[in-house]
Amino acid sequence: MAYDIGARIGIEGEKAFNNSIKAVNAQIKALGAEMTAVTASFLKNADSQQSLAAKNEVLNRSIEVTRSKTEILNKEIASQKEKLDSLGQALDKAAKKSGENSDEALKAQNAYNSQAKKVNDLAAQLNKAEAELASMTNAVEENSRAMEGSGQSMDELADGGKRAGDSMEDAGKAGLSF
């Protein structure tokens, strides 16, 4: 009977967790669609300052949402590991009380194995989210470097234009014509 209560508690907690993850995944999907729209809107000028800034804005929001996802996953993993430890203790007690091959011990072993799979699945989701986070962080850094490079190019162009203007002004003062 204790397993039924644990299963109910697990299902209720799992439902809240699943709802949280679904909400975060929906936000990530929406941000992905927004990134696609931003990219499409700057198709001809994909490396423009405005395009890179718009991409960085969406990426930064995506990073925040993904960080939220990793926090949720970390909390859930900790919770599920506690349950796993509890099930491990219940398994040990059942094996000592009724024997390792008893029905009670086998039920406890199945519950433990199921919980271990849950923890492993959550860890895999966390690893994937952390990889996505690293990828988005790298993309923001690349865009920022491109924006800096573009800004330097614009500054160099402006400086070149100023020098050309100064040269023309000097030539005008000297009485030369163009």
Side-chain angles (χ1 to χ4, degrees):
M1 297 290 172
Y3 299 111
D4 291 338
I5 293 170
R8 282 190 207 128
I9 292 170
I11 290 171
E12 290 172 10
E14 190 172 320
K15 185 177 179 181
F17 164 74
N18 285 336
N19 288 340
S20 295
I21 289 296
K22 282 180 185 177
V24 168
N25 285 339
Q27 287 178 320
I28 290 171
K29 186 176 180 179
L31 287 166
E34 187 175 341
M35 179 60 84
T36 301
V38 165
T39 302
S41 70
F42 290 103
L43 193 57
K44 292 182 182 177
N45 296 319
D47 292 333
S48 72
Q49 286 278 23
Q50 190 178 13
S51 170
L52 294 172
K55 287 178 185 178
N56 270 2
E57 180 186 331
V58 175
L59 283 168
N60 282 322
R61 286 188 285 144
S62 296
I63 286 170
E64 289 306 312
V65 171
T66 304
R67 280 189 181 137
S68 173
K69 182 176 182 176
T70 61
E71 289 172 14
I72 291 168
L73 286 167
N74 276 316
K75 287 177 185 176
E76 186 65 14
I77 287 171
S79 172
Q80 295 300 324
K81 281 183 177 180
E82 285 179 18
K83 290 177 185 178
L84 183 63
D85 290 344
S86 176
L87 288 170
Q89 292 170 4
L91 173 59
D92 289 342
K93 286 179 186 178
K96 287 178 184 175
K97 179 181 174 188
S98 304
E100 289 184 20
N101 294 322
S102 67
D103 284 344
E104 187 178 343
L106 290 176
K107 285 181 184 177
Q109 182 67 54
N110 288 337
Y112 180 85
N113 292 345
S114 176
Q115 187 64 27
K117 183 181 179 332
K118 239 183 236 183
V119 170
N120 288 336
D121 290 346
L122 288 169
Q125 286 182 43
L126 178 62
N127 288 338
K128 183 179 177 186
E130 287 174 341
E132 290 169 353
L133 188 60
S135 176
M136 287 184 277
T137 301
N138 287 338
V140 167
E141 290 170 0
E142 287 176 22
N143 282 349
S144 295
R145 282 192 297 273
M147 287 170 59
E148 287 173 9
S150 176
Q152 288 173 348
S153 296
M154 295 298 273
D155 289 345
E156 289 169 2
L157 183 61
D159 287 345
K162 184 178 181 324
R163 283 192 305 271
D166 289 346
S167 295
M168 291 174 103
E169 185 179 328
D170 291 343
K173 288 179 183 174
L176 301 174
S177 62
F178 292 94

